[in-house]
Amino acid sequence: MGQGGLRALAAVVAVVGFGLGSCATASNALNLTLLTDGVDELGARCLDGSPGGYYWRAGSAANATKFLLVFNGGGWCYSLEDCAARAKTNLGTSTLFETTIQGDGITKNDPGFNPDFSSWNVAYLYYCDGTSYGGNHSEPVQVGDQTLFFRGLRILEAFLDHLQRHRGLDSATEVFLSGHSAGGLGTYMHADYVGSRVPAGALFGAIPDAGFFMMNNTVGGRDLYPAQIQNISRLASVVGDADCMAANAAEAWRCMATQHALPFVSTRLHMIQSSYDSWQLSNIFDVSCTPKYSNNTCSANQMDQFQAVHTTILGQIRATNSTRHAVWSDSCIAHSQAYYGDYFNNPSWQMSARMFTPTNQKLLTNIAVVRQKKGGKRFEIACFKNKVLSWRNKVEKDIDEVLQIHTVYTNVSKGEVAKNTDLQKAYGTDDHTKICRIILDKGELQVSKEERDAQLGALFKEVATIVADKCIDPATERPYTAAQIERAMRDIHVSVKPTASAKAQALDVIKKLAETISIARASMSVRVRLPQREAKRVKPLVLPLTIALEHEDWDDDLELECTIDPGTFRALTELVGHETKGQGLVEILSVKNVAEGDEVL
Ligand SMILES: *[C@@H]1O[C@H](CO)[C@@H](O)[C@H](O)[C@H]1NC(C)=O
Ligand SMILES: *[C@@H]1O[C@H](CO)[C@@H](O)[C@H](O)[C@H]1NC(C)=O
Ligand SMILES: *[C@@H]1O[C@H](CO)[C@@H](O)[C@H](O)[C@H]1NC(C)=O
Ligand SMILES: *[C@@H]1O[C@H](CO)[C@@H](O)[C@H](O)[C@H]1NC(C)=O
Ligand SMILES: *[C@@H]1O[C@H](CO)[C@@H](O)[C@H](O)[C@H]1NC(C)=O
Ligand SMILES: *[C@@H]1O[C@H](CO)[C@@H](O)[C@H](O)[C@H]1NC(C)=O
Ligand SMILES: *[C@@H]1O[C@H](CO)[C@@H](O)[C@H](O)[C@H]1NC(C)=O
Ligand SMILES: *[C@@H]1O[C@H](CO)[C@@H](O)[C@H](O)[C@H]1NC(C)=O
């Protein structure tokens, strides 16, 4: 639970105790810290001379030693004139930085959406040097009436100094560096340096997103992006990975080019890189037509160019060929996918079953076996986990996504293929594919003990969550957490049944628990107040969290009186706080016991 969650829980107590009160805003915000010390000590300045800055959100107490460091993106400036123009924007001066930003994707503080990092410390370095945090040019540069500074590397140093002095980075146990776009390139360039600044025993890795920029001419043959990068690398005295710099003393720009720098990076990387990177398509390759943005009107020649970019990016990623690193490379026309809600943790992502093809028996371990007895014999087929049910309810229609291999076995784990004569006898054919289909449709899905245990564990948690949602402790009028209910269920040795629904079992569990702890079904009546400006938009988000809307009043602000489950109160206050930026309000009007014998949950 993040600190926002703890504050919200405190608000539940206060509100119930006193009958009214306001909700805490769920804090997804990150606040700006300016690196003013770094200006004096290191000369760490944005293009215009202002101090660098980063946004900070502290993690939960339990994860206080885990850090996600992020480099913001925003392209580059490529010439002095270009950089002078940039110095007047929020990509070149911290005087135009907002005081807070909201997390999204990998930086969002929502554990459901972002389970791995939501409760970590997040330090989001903002981009104002135009050179992927690499500029290390000591002398200021005069351009017309502007004085420019190329000091990205010193901003990075000042950032790490500040985190060590003020945020506990020097006692971190886990640190991940990430960054997107120009910050993704910065992640490749500086991963080893950042790694050298975290404590020796800490786990360290880097997640560059959309930072693998191709050093290619445009599809028309013009030297555009490579010339631009070479220019700015020289103008700003850009510094990249130390080993890369040592090996490329005469051509330092190569260390600002992922494909050349990568072999020198020893930090373990989890790269995220679309093979149809939308920024590169237009800005490096000058491909003017893409199916997504041009309503499928591209000519055959344009489609060839589009595919050539895909081949180039994928080829370059494949050439990495290192067992140190992992790659997530998809085919979305997109850029910076870990940072924007649409792509990050999208439930429609599904690993293709074709990720590997079993070539021998050994690989057939991560499988689901479906078995059918026929003609006195047992036949088995090997399927991909989780695919059998989606085939049966017709969500998955491609049999190759379901079957590991078109072969019928007598024993999958031994790799014993069924004899054709036996198949003939039982099925009247020895066409393995046909028989696979029959077994897939009619056979019995085998579930391993581990899977069964995992399913029961999940069901146990689900029952506990329902109980926690629906009940309070009548003595204090406070809801229980699911963890408290789980403990109480263990104490009285509740065992869940895989055959009954979680809801039905929750009813039983409440009755049993009531014999040992103070617990009762309850509903809450709450008033939700939404400011007029937000009301139309937010109301439809509020309703799904309620059991019933009792009354609404559109006079000035919108006031909704609703009945909710006690367990929903926190989610509701967080939603309203977030969606109305703290202007909305949720107050408890009353807590009602739900009548005994009401069997409906
Ligand atoms: C950000 O600043 C606001 C206002 O000063 C403060 O209420 C909030 O707690 C801060 N948030 C974080 C994450 O530090
Ligand atoms: C490189 O920078 C110089 C100096 O600002 C500029 O005149 C030139 O056009 C730039 N070249 C490219 C390829 O951007
Ligand atoms: C701490 O972070 C881990 C992920 O690294 C997460 O699974 C866990 O729930 C977090 N703990 C808390 C108390 O937020
Ligand atoms: C950055 O520039 C300073 C001053 O020229 C130099 O002493 C330092 O070694 C440079 N840093 C790197 C990493 O090259
Ligand atoms: C895209 O093409 C379809 C079919 O040709 C057409 O109906 C639609 O208006 C087009 N949309 C745009 C935005 O051009
Ligand atoms: C990118 O450059 C490589 C190396 O010169 C070349 O083989 C490839 O065809 C280029 N890709 C495109 C799309 O032009
Ligand atoms: C990748 O590396 C392995 C081991 O170093 C090598 O055997 C293999 O041929 C390489 N693959 C490619 C495509 O270069
Ligand atoms: C298949 O072979 C494995 C490994 O020898 C064995 O444990 C399993 O019981 C056999 N399955 C059946 C259904 O006989």
Side-chain angles (χ1 to χ4, degrees):
M1 183 193 297
Q3 288 186 336
L6 286 172
R7 275 198 298 277
L9 188 59
V12 173
V13 178
V15 168
V16 174
F18 301 105
L20 77 153
S22 68
C23 61
T25 307
S27 186
N28 184 37
L30 294 93
N31 286 355
L32 179 62
T33 297
L34 286 176
L35 296 164
T36 38
D37 286 357
V39 171
D40 301 334
E41 288 179 33
L42 302 165
R45 296 176 187 274
C46 299
L47 281 170
D48 74 325
S50 59
Y54 73 96
Y55 292 87
W56 171 255
R57 187 179 64 225
S60 67
N63 281 331
T65 59
K66 300 180 188 171
F67 289 75
L68 178 64
L69 313 183
V70 181
F71 292 162
N72 198 24
W76 308 267
C77 50
Y78 303 113
S79 67
L80 294 178
E81 301 70 30
D82 205 3
C83 295
R86 177 177 280 244
K88 295 177 180 169
T89 72
N90 65 357
L91 286 171
T93 173
S94 63
T95 60
L96 296 175
F97 284 179
E98 307 279 344
T99 54
T100 63
I101 59 169
Q102 297 296 320
D104 197 0
I106 196 173
T107 64
K108 195 166 181 155
N109 82 329
D110 173 349
F113 178 80
N114 178 22
D116 294 318
F117 297 105
S118 58
S119 62
W120 287 32
N121 297 306
V122 179
Y124 204 135
L125 185 56
Y126 249 44
Y127 185 38
C128 63
D129 65 279
T131 63
S132 286
Y133 310 88
N136 188 32
H137 196 74
S138 293
E139 300 308 318
V141 177
Q142 202 65 29
V143 181
D145 60 358
Q146 285 174 264
T147 306
L148 298 186
F149 295 82
F150 294 108
R151 302 280 181 74
L153 189 70
R154 299 183 193 183
I155 292 176
L156 175 55
E157 286 176 41
F159 171 59
L160 295 168
D161 287 351
H162 198 273
L163 294 178
Q164 282 180 333
R165 285 179 200 159
H166 303 287
R167 308 295 193 190
L169 183 67
D170 50 354
S171 46
T173 56
E174 284 180 45
V175 181
F176 278 87
L177 170 67
S178 181
H180 54 97
S181 193
L185 173 59
T187 303
Y188 289 105
M189 289 164 61
H190 307 300
D192 287 359
Y193 169 60
V194 173
S196 76
R197 300 280 312 258
V198 310
L203 177 71
F204 177 68
I207 312 170
D209 181 9
F212 208 134
F213 293 94
M214 298 299 111
M215 280 292 142
N216 264 82
N217 291 353
T218 66
V219 287
R222 192 154 53 97
D223 181 359
L224 176 65
Y225 182 73
Q228 290 172 325
I229 285 295
Q230 289 174 31
N231 214 35
I232 192 59
S233 159
R234 184 177 45 82
L235 290 172
S237 307
V238 170
V239 173
D241 180 272
D243 295 332
C244 179
M245 296 294 286
N248 290 282
E251 288 184 302
W253 66 266
R254 293 169 72 89
C255 305
M256 208 180 169
T258 308
Q259 69 206 58
H260 301 305
L262 190 51
F264 297 97
V265 178
S266 54
T267 300
R268 282 175 184 264
L269 303 173
H270 181 103
M271 312 178 208
I272 302 172
Q273 180 61 56
S274 164
S275 60
Y276 291 93
D277 185 299
S278 54
W279 190 91
Q280 299 194 42
L281 275 164
S282 54
N283 294 288
I284 293 180
F285 294 96
D286 196 26
V287 169
S288 52
C289 195
T290 66
K292 179 177 170 186
Y293 294 113
S294 313
N295 204 13
N296 292 312
T297 57
C298 305
S299 67
N301 182 41
Q302 286 168 325
M303 283 306 291
D304 286 348
Q305 295 175 341
F306 174 70
Q307 292 299 355
V309 170
H310 164 73
T311 309
T312 295
I313 297 181
L314 210 53
Q316 208 52 257
I317 291 172
R318 288 211 169 110
T320 311
N321 190 25
S322 161
T323 52
R324 293 193 64 72
H325 309 309
V327 184
W328 168 268
S329 182
D330 58 278
S331 295
C332 296
I333 304 178
H335 187 67
S336 304
Q337 298 177 78
Y339 287 84
Y340 302 101
D342 278 0
Y343 288 101
F344 184 76
N345 204 355
N346 188 322
S348 66
W349 285 125
Q350 210 166 24
M351 298 288 264
S352 167
R354 289 204 195 86
M355 291 289 283
F356 73 94
T357 316
T359 50
N360 62 35
Q361 198 201 327
K362 265 232 167 79
L363 282 176
L364 292 175
T365 47
N366 188 25
I367 53 170
V369 172
V370 181
R371 182 184 298 157
Q372 189 177 35
K373 285 189 192 138
K374 193 120 189 187
K377 289 223 168 358
R378 207 167 20 213
F379 300 101
E380 296 183 344
I381 56 171
C383 300
F384 289 96
K385 282 215 164 123
N386 310 321
K387 284 293 188 174
V388 176
L389 293 180
S390 49
W391 170 265
R392 286 184 175 172
N393 53 36
K394 303 201 164 37
V395 174
E396 180 59 68
K397 299 200 173 70
D398 180 354
I399 193 154
D400 287 327
E401 295 281 326
V402 183
L403 280 184
Q404 299 239 5
I405 181 164
H406 292 239
T407 302
V408 182
Y409 295 85
T410 50
N411 184 326
V412 164
S413 54
K414 276 197 196 141
E416 284 173 4
V417 178
K419 291 199 191 78
N420 283 349
T421 49
D422 288 342
L423 292 175
Q424 275 291 359
K425 241 188 263 167
Y427 293 95
T429 171
D430 57 13
D431 180 334
H432 281 251
T433 298
K434 269 194 191 142
I435 300 168
C436 281
R437 276 181 183 270
I438 296 170
I439 298 177
L440 190 51
D441 289 338
K442 303 268 167 60
E444 210 178 302
L445 178 60
Q446 307 298 304
V447 183
S448 73
K449 180 169 183 315
E450 290 87 18
E451 278 177 289
R452 206 178 351 254
D453 288 351
Q455 278 168 8
L456 282 179
L459 185 60
F460 191 89
K461 272 190 179 351
E462 195 184 339
V463 171
T465 305
I466 294 173
V467 173
D469 272 355
K470 303 285 174 186
C471 296
I472 57 164
D473 173 357
T476 60
E477 293 205 318
R478 282 182 57 182
Y480 284 103
T481 64
Q484 287 170 322
I485 297 294
E486 273 184 55
R487 225 172 296 130
M489 283 167 63
R490 289 219 168 79
D491 288 347
I492 60 167
H493 306 293
V494 169
S495 61
V496 291
K497 296 181 267 314
T499 45
S501 82
K503 278 187 175 179
Q505 299 189 61
L507 270 178
D508 269 359
V509 167
I510 294 169
K511 284 192 197 124
K512 286 201 190 113
L513 285 176
E515 293 166 15
T516 53
I517 64 172
S518 158
I519 186 167
R521 298 254 321 266
S523 65
M524 274 180 180
S525 171
V526 296
R527 180 184 296 133
V528 179
R529 188 175 306 144
L530 301 174
Q532 200 175 31
R533 240 164 11 107
E534 315 279 5
K536 265 223 171 68
R537 185 177 61 81
V538 181
K539 182 185 159 195
L541 305 176
V542 165
L543 293 184
L545 294 182
T546 65
I547 301 172
L549 173 62
E550 311 294 352
H551 180 71
E552 68 178 280
D553 184 355
W554 281 90
D555 189 31
D556 206 7
D557 289 349
L558 171 60
E559 283 193 2
L560 304 170
E561 274 178 37
C562 316
T563 307
I564 63 168
D565 284 326
T568 325
F569 182 76
R570 194 183 328 155
L572 185 63
T573 55
E574 284 178 6
L575 173 87
V576 168
H578 180 245
E579 292 296 332
T580 66
K581 303 206 166 50
Q583 304 299 301
L585 194 72
V586 182
E587 41 187 345
I588 293 181
L589 301 173
S590 63
V591 178
K592 286 194 280 281
N593 278 9
V594 174
E596 278 293 326
D598 179 354
E599 295 297 293
V600 187
L601 274 180

